[in-house]
Amino acid sequence: MSRRSGKEPRAWQRMLSGRRLDLLDPSPLDVEIEDIAHGLARVARWNGQTVGAHIFSVAQHSLLVDAIAGHIHPELDAKARLLVLLHDAPEYVIGDMISPFKAVLGGNYKEVEKRLAAAIHLRFGLPATAPAALVRATKRADRIAAFLEATRLAGFAREEALAFFGRPAPLPAAIDRFLEPWSAEEAKARFLARFNALVPAL
């Protein structure tokens, strides 16, 4: 709607499932995993500035972070792993803004992101806010993933990536399979498969 009409602008997004998700007051009842997987598989990390025939999607990044977290924190249970998998889930609605742009936007962006994350978590029987220790573990895995993506996909020199993301932990060769960009359909299918593998274990 036009601001000139005197009415409030639309603050919801219609999903392919038919749900209408209100960005200002998101309801868990309007969250569907198929919408999340579909959206994240089509959102590009690094603003699309990566090598390969396909974008490196947030869905694929989420699976990479989950795999790294599972390696460096083998004690994490299914609930914790699901929270890790969903750590960037709000981006199916708001997109993946690069860190410098988030810094420019400031607090309002973070508040919207927090409300969306809480609605997503509650929809799947998770705590609205992840425990602090898990947040730290997820951030560590996320930074390692960012280092790998930066150096292998986004054109960063190793020294530059070390300055921004820190030194990565040693990882098994199996992690490499998450760094070859997949098609959107493959990323969506793999994300859904991982979600469906974790949910029955909760």
Side-chain angles (χ1 to χ4, degrees):
M1 294 180 183
S2 168
R3 289 182 182 273
R4 289 176 295 181
S5 69
K7 297 180 180 178
E8 289 296 317
R10 175 171 65 88
W12 53 264
Q13 179 175 346
R14 185 190 184 283
M15 303 297 170
L16 287 179
S17 65
R19 299 287 189 186
R20 291 186 178 187
L21 185 65
D22 188 329
L23 274 67
L24 300 179
D25 186 21
S27 167
L29 297 176
D30 292 324
V31 173
E32 300 290 348
I33 191 59
E34 290 80 6
D35 291 332
I36 293 173
H38 185 88
L40 294 184
R42 287 160 175 76
V43 174
R45 291 270 294 167
W46 306 95
N47 270 353
Q49 297 298 308
T50 51
V51 299
H54 304 287
I55 65 165
F56 189 79
S57 71
V58 175
Q60 187 168 351
H61 164 78
S62 299
L63 289 161
L64 172 60
V65 173
D66 171 52
I68 293 170
H71 175 73
I72 60 179
H73 295 285
E75 74 282 2
L76 296 179
D77 62 13
K79 182 179 286 190
R81 294 292 291 273
L82 186 55
L83 282 163
V84 173
L85 182 70
L86 296 172
H87 78 281
D88 277 340
E91 294 180 5
Y92 89 106
V93 180
I94 56 180
D96 181 34
M97 295 185 187
I98 58 174
S99 296
F101 192 45
K102 286 182 184 179
V104 170
L105 287 178
N108 288 341
Y109 173 88
K110 294 251 180 223
E111 285 306 310
V112 172
E113 191 175 45
K114 260 187 218 177
R115 287 195 292 268
L116 286 166
I120 291 164
H121 291 173
L122 293 172
R123 170 66 177 85
F124 303 119
L126 300 167
T129 304
L134 182 61
V135 171
R136 289 192 295 271
T138 303
K139 283 184 177 175
R140 183 186 177 203
D142 196 32
R143 287 176 70 82
I144 293 170
F147 176 90
L148 295 174
E149 293 166 21
T151 53
R152 302 210 196 169
L153 300 169
F156 280 61
R158 178 177 173 81
E159 294 73 21
E160 187 180 18
L162 285 170
F164 283 115
F165 309 112
R167 189 169 297 279
L171 296 168
I175 294 293
D176 287 350
R177 73 181 189 272
F178 294 99
L179 289 161
E180 181 68 35
W182 307 326
S183 70
E185 287 306 311
E186 183 175 0
K188 175 182 176 179
R190 291 193 183 202
F191 185 92
L192 283 172
R194 179 60 178 152
F195 174 88
N196 290 328
L198 288 169
V199 167
L202 295 181

